[in-house]
Amino acid sequence: MSGRTDVLIVGGGIVGAACAAACAQAGLTVALVEADLAVGMDATAAGMGQIVAMDGSPAELALTRYSQRLWDDLARSLPEDCEYERCGTLWIAADDDEMEEAARKATRYHEHALQAELLEQRDLYALEPALRPGLAGGLCVPGDSILYAPRAAAALLAEAERHGARALFGCRVRALHEGEVELDDGARMAARTVVLATGARAAELIPELPIRPRTGHLVITERYPALVRHQLVELGYVKSAHGTDADSVAFNLQPRPTGQLLIGSSRQYGRADPAVDRVIVARMLKRAIAYLPVLHGLDALRVWTGQRAATLDGLPYIGPCPGRAWLFVAAGHEGLGITAALATARLLSDHLLGRAPEIAPEPYSPARAWLETVVRA
Amino acid sequence: MAERRTEVLVIGAGPAGLAAAAAAAACGRRVLLVDDNADPGGQIWRGEGRAHLAVPARFEVRCGVRVVDACGASAVLAESAGGVERLTFDRLVLATGARERFLPFPGWTLPNVVGAGGLQAMVKGGVPIAGKRVVIAGSGPLLLAVAAYLRSRGARSLLIAEQTGRLRLARFVLGLAGAPQRLRQTLELRRALAGVPLLTDAWPLSAHGAGRLEEIRLRTRRGERGERCDLLACGFGLVPNTELAALLGCRVEAGCVAVDEHQATSVAGVYAAGEMTGIGGLDLSRIEGEIAGYAAGGDERKARAGLGPRRRARRFARALERAFALREELRELPDARTLLCRCEDVSVGRAARYPSWRAAKLHTRCGMGACQGRICGAAAAFLFGWRCEHARPPASPARIATLAAQHEV
Ligand SMILES: Cc1cc2nc3c(=O)[nH]c(=O)nc-3n(C[C@H](O)[C@H](O)[C@H](O)COP(=O)(O)OP(=O)(O)OC[C@H]3O[C@@H](n4cnc5c(N)ncnc54)[C@H](O)[C@@H]3O)c2cc1C
Ligand SMILES: Cc1cc2nc3c(=O)[nH]c(=O)nc-3n(C[C@H](O)[C@H](O)[C@H](O)COP(=O)(O)OP(=O)(O)OC[C@H]3O[C@@H](n4cnc5c(N)ncnc54)[C@H](O)[C@@H]3O)c2cc1C
């Protein structure tokens, strides 16, 4: 490569890999530095990999919906080992209150031209007979999909490399300077734009970013093919999962293409330790058994933890850093970074090339962080 | 969830666990010994373990109980046909043993290519061996023990292929002169195997057959040769079972659970004995078990009485390790298409593209299946020099109901 690097991406998770692909495809010279020895080894390897249109706020729905469309376009060219599958989501309503929420959710999806079908009790059991009796109904969102995120990150990085990007592994960045990053060994690398895509660790390099790690646990089972066909999520999910700062669990289950079941989810602040918290796993599994009783007798192979990058308002930081035009932030995606990776990358490349973005970028601007900091002070 | 309280809990009823349970009971402690097999005895005395229990045993033995995880401090989570229970202890002795190491070579996944210890267990379990032609290949004294057993059960013809060199082996046997009892055992074993060819500097290159094993290619001192056989039993040494210890928070060093003079691990009140602390054979396992049992039972004087014998047994263990160290050439056995991970169908060539075990795992699924890398992890550690650890619960596959019961305390 000759001359100066246009874009230097710090972090080789799915967000960094997607940014590298988008920028390299756009003709920019790209370098990516990753602390680990391979791509997608952190949150990207720990998450569920569901590509889901999520309607926690209008801005969240706009971002996830947009990104989902980008994934749909990319799906055809993804290698098979990305295990992309359009299995759809079933949002489960336990009672009449949740049925009403399902109806409101359907309306919001329809406003964004998203397919979503309200399910009566009978329809629910026709689709997923293993669910416990007595549920009220639900909402089927057929456009949601799943993939195996570490391989998807590898595919995106390979695409970037085909367009001339280079990736350096085992290189941790310890400090940012104007137009430059400083590696652990003291070496410096310069670029016109530095992109911070270090996920839950973003605040280590930009302390002003109020990004906090939020631990999640997942359990993977032996193979039980065709037991469940859709990603199953309780409608209480948003309430119990996003609602408070307290530890929480919610029923969220994904059928893997291997026939295994991936069971979530939990959310906890303040656990730096990667060790498994047995108590929250037990709570999470109890909740899962309550929705899908057959789980009781099935075998679990492994339990692990991962860190989501949580922000104060639940939206990621995507955009230039106030007062530091050379620094672009792409972090803080909480539980939606796989979904939102492609939209994040597109917002970045649009910004760098001066193209008009397809969705309004303001709600994701890192400037919020500085405003929030001022308000808190 | 059912709860059982005991003063000393011993996990694993092989020689180390049996010795530990007996020693702790001799200190007047209430002792519970659990094992996930149908009978006590561990790998070596499988099916004959009852004979090794003092009669009447002064401790309780429960088989068919699998400990799958820690459960708060001073307790473990166990499952059995009867359901899930929490076993609470004042002191814990871990004696979870070791497993065989398999090395991949072309054809190693053919039916009738089995583990050496595994074949012995199968025959003990009633699988007929009479009239069969068996090649036993790999490394270590276990090969001879298995051969002698199979011969006693009527195997028609046997051939042993030991990878280590003739000189190293001779030096090892000479070294036994200082330990007359071991020398006698060795000579007895050799006599029991009279007429059975023992090739040194020999190892399997490949296995062939349509649907099942028919012939193997062997590398020997005189070059390559074919050998027709019905069964190929392989074992390239042993690998300590450290998963449960790691989940309990015990320090693991170089693949072995680290212990102090009294077999105490890095976790207070938790001891470890036998092969999980380092491969050393039957005698060392029993001595370590006894030390751990007395230490856990609170009789330090008796525990210390074992230190001298343990020193001698460890010397022997080190000699074993030197004599049967795996040779470099074995790393070249597999070709790129040879399977490394049988659970997930991952070839050696695919895994080799990655810089670490974790990267290979995440990007190829190698080690992610039912065995959670228990087999391919040890092979990958040897082939690529990776550190292949598994520090995630459960220690072995466990029912979801078991893991869900963990917080009913
Ligand atoms: C869609 C999907 C499907 C998956 N399917 C499977 C599957 O079928 N089978 C499967 O096994 N996995 C599966 N995984 C999980 C995957 O292999 C990893 O388990 C996951 O990415 C998280 O890994 P981990 O944190 O356990 O890392 P590991 O690979 O276990 O590495 C963690 C590192 O931290 C260390 N460590 C672990 N525990 C502790 C502790 N308590 N204290 C300190 N250090 C510790 C370890 O030594 C290790 O170096 C799947 C993942 C995804 C995303
Ligand atoms: C349990 C769980 C379930 C989830 N389920 C889903 C889901 O179903 N759908 C979904 O869309 N999202 C899900 N997520 C969220 C998703 O996994 C993350 O949002 C996403 O992986 C974030 O990607 P990233 O690239 O920002 O971060 P990461 O994958 O964490 O990548 C950041 C990279 O930066 C590197 N790095 C950090 N610091 C430095 C440094 N100083 N120098 C160099 N490199 C550095 C790290 O090594 C890492 O590789 C889930 C998360 C969890 C924990």
Side-chain angles (χ1 to χ4, degrees), chain A residues 45-47 148 220 256 260 262 274-275 302 304-305, chain B residues 358 361-362 365 368 372 389 391-392:
Chain A
Y148 184 61
I220 188 89
R256 299 293 310 151
Q260 294 169 287
L262 191 49
R302 180 180 176 87
W304 68 86
T305 61
Chain B
R358 197 168 123 75
K361 207 167 110 174
L362 287 169
R365 291 191 57 82
M368 275 202 191
Q372 286 287 297
E389 284 161 0
R392 291 297 193 191

Side-chain angles (χ1 to χ4, degrees), chain B residues 4 6 8-14 16-22 30-35 40-41 53 59-63 65 87 93 95:
Chain B
R4 267 293 305 273
T6 186
V8 178
L9 175 67
V10 182
I11 301 173
L18 285 164
R30 208 146 39 82
V31 177
L32 173 62
L33 171 63
V34 297
D35 192 289
L53 291 173
F59 50 85
E60 187 187 349
V61 187
R62 284 182 54 208
C63 288
V65 177
L87 305 176
V93 181

Side-chain angles (χ1 to χ4, degrees), chain A residues 37 39 41 45 148 150-151 221-223 260 263 274 276 278 282 285-286 295-296 298-303 305, chain B residues 69 344 354-355 358-359 361-363 365 368 370 372 390 392-394 397-401 403-404 406-408:
Chain A
L37 297 179
V39 59
M41 302 271 283
Y148 184 61
R151 293 310 298 158
T221 69
E222 267 278 19
R223 299 180 181 220
Q260 294 169 287
I263 309 171
V276 168
R278 272 73 170 187
L285 290 176
K286 277 225 167 78
L295 286 178
H296 190 267
L298 307 186
D299 274 348
L301 290 183
R302 180 180 176 87
V303 185
T305 61
Chain B
D69 198 2
E344 299 290 336
Y354 294 89
R358 197 168 123 75
K361 207 167 110 174
L362 287 169
H363 287 285
R365 291 191 57 82
M368 275 202 191
Q372 286 287 297
H390 164 100
R392 291 297 193 191
R399 282 191 295 273
I400 288 175
L403 302 181
Q406 278 197 99
H407 83 299
E408 296 167 6

Side-chain angles (χ1 to χ4, degrees), chain B residues 63-99:
Chain B
C63 288
V65 177
R66 171 167 296 155
V67 175
V68 296
D69 198 2
C71 191
S74 305
V76 292
L77 188 69
E79 68 179 31
S80 62
V84 45
E85 59 194 321
R86 177 180 152 96
L87 305 176
T88 306
F89 52 80
D90 299 330
R91 298 285 158 83
L92 172 65
V93 181
L94 295 168
T96 53
R99 56 178 172 266

